[in-house]
Amino acid sequence: MGIVRYTFVEIFRNKVYYVLLLFGGVLVLSTMLFGSLGGEQRNRMITDLGLAGIEVVALVIAVFAAVTLVIDEMETRTLYLILTRPVARYQFLLGRYVGLLALVSCAMAAMAATHALLLALIKAPLTMDYVVSLLFSWEKITIITAVALAFSLFSTSTLSAVAFTLFFWIMGHLSPEIRFLAQKSKQPFVIWICRAFYYLAPNFHRLNLRDWPAQFTPTHWLALSAVYGIFYACACLALAVLLFRKKEF
């Protein structure tokens, strides 16, 4: 718990966090302007743009914080001091992850509350579809945070870790297109590459429920999607722990 609290307070005191949170608030409020262009679909557009804005800001906070959680500790050599105490490496890594995730969750909750207030002011219905879409957006952030943490221990620099993480984020949203390309291509190499990306990258299309809020599939399908996200995040954390154990300090 000490590492979780330390991580939360450390990032919370960072001025960049406040800038990003302010940007998120402005982005959520600006949905009113873009929503006015939606005509009969005004409420739907304001809802979708708000959810997308919350997710983007959470993504930026999670990725740039996750890739520096351990790298900064290694560069400043404070990690050596921490590991001299009775703290296992996996405990340190999981504590940093949970602390960051707690902070990102608070940021998403604050932006969601602002957006919900905005929807109430324009008398737009706040349905269970909205809540479920927000929860699945949060799960996508938990996955990409774990991915970023793993890449930060695998890559040689912060820039490459960020680049790889964002690449996985994009590939995860293009899962149907990648699968379609693999089915239509006649080149074995292209098929192999597409299949590799399809199975290795997280299938964010499965978790992107705001694309079809009016036609949710049965509850068991949502449960399977949630379990898939949890499994993928745990796999990335396990890989991060393995990579962290192999580091020589």
Side-chain angles (χ1 to χ4, degrees):
M1 287 300 296
I3 296 175
V4 174
R5 183 169 56 253
Y6 165 73
T7 303
F8 186 95
V9 173
E10 178 189 17
I11 303 175
F12 185 77
R13 291 177 176 175
N14 196 321
K15 294 180 180 179
V16 176
Y17 171 74
Y18 291 105
V19 173
L20 289 173
L21 194 56
L22 178 62
F23 173 75
V26 173
L27 190 62
V28 169
L29 292 175
S30 66
T31 58
M32 278 289 293
L33 175 62
F34 294 106
S36 63
L37 305 176
E40 296 180 356
Q41 297 295 323
R42 174 172 171 264
N43 291 347
R44 171 68 182 273
M45 183 171 289
I46 291 176
T47 301
D48 289 349
L49 287 175
L51 287 170
I54 293 170
E55 189 174 292
V56 168
V57 175
L59 169 69
V60 174
I61 296 174
V63 170
F64 284 93
V67 298
T68 58
L69 277 179
V70 180
I71 292 179
D72 285 353
E73 296 280 3
M74 293 170 58
E75 291 179 350
T76 58
R77 298 187 178 274
T78 55
L79 179 61
Y80 300 88
L81 179 61
I82 295 174
L83 294 181
T84 57
R85 300 181 178 182
V87 177
R89 292 194 178 194
Y90 79 91
Q91 291 176 327
F92 170 78
L93 202 62
L94 294 181
R96 297 292 270 174
Y97 173 78
V98 173
L100 171 58
L101 200 57
L103 183 116
V104 175
S105 300
C106 289
M108 292 185 71
M111 289 185 288
T114 303
H115 189 221
L117 179 60
L118 176 64
L119 292 175
L121 290 175
I122 63 173
K123 298 181 179 180
L126 188 63
T127 64
M128 183 57 66
D129 292 349
Y130 177 91
V131 177
V132 176
S133 296
L134 186 63
L135 288 175
F136 272 78
S137 290
W138 176 82
E139 187 167 22
K140 288 167 63 179
I141 298 302
T142 66
I143 294 172
I144 205 63
T145 303
V147 170
L149 191 58
F151 274 128
S152 70
L153 295 167
F154 173 78
S155 305
T156 56
S157 67
T158 301
L159 183 60
S160 61
V162 171
F164 281 130
T165 303
L166 293 180
F167 177 75
F168 260 55
W169 176 265
I170 295 172
M171 288 296 101
H173 285 88
L174 296 177
S175 295
E177 288 77 9
I178 294 174
R179 185 177 184 179
F180 178 79
L181 182 60
Q183 292 173 344
K184 295 299 181 180
S185 178
K186 297 181 180 180
Q187 300 295 328
F189 179 73
V190 175
I191 295 174
W192 184 86
I193 290 294
C194 289
R195 286 180 177 175
F197 278 126
Y198 179 78
Y199 289 109
L200 288 178
N203 191 344
F204 285 139
H205 178 73
R206 187 182 182 95
L207 302 174
N208 209 36
L209 299 186
R210 68 173 180 273
D211 287 345
W212 46 85
Q215 43 183 327
F216 274 158
T217 46
T219 304
H220 73 273
W221 191 92
L222 296 177
L224 289 175
S225 297
V227 171
Y228 164 79
I230 294 172
F231 176 80
Y232 195 98
C234 290
C236 290
L237 286 175
L239 177 61
V241 170
L242 181 63
L243 292 171
F244 192 50
R245 284 180 175 177
K246 292 182 177 296
K247 292 284 185 181
E248 296 181 0
F249 301 113

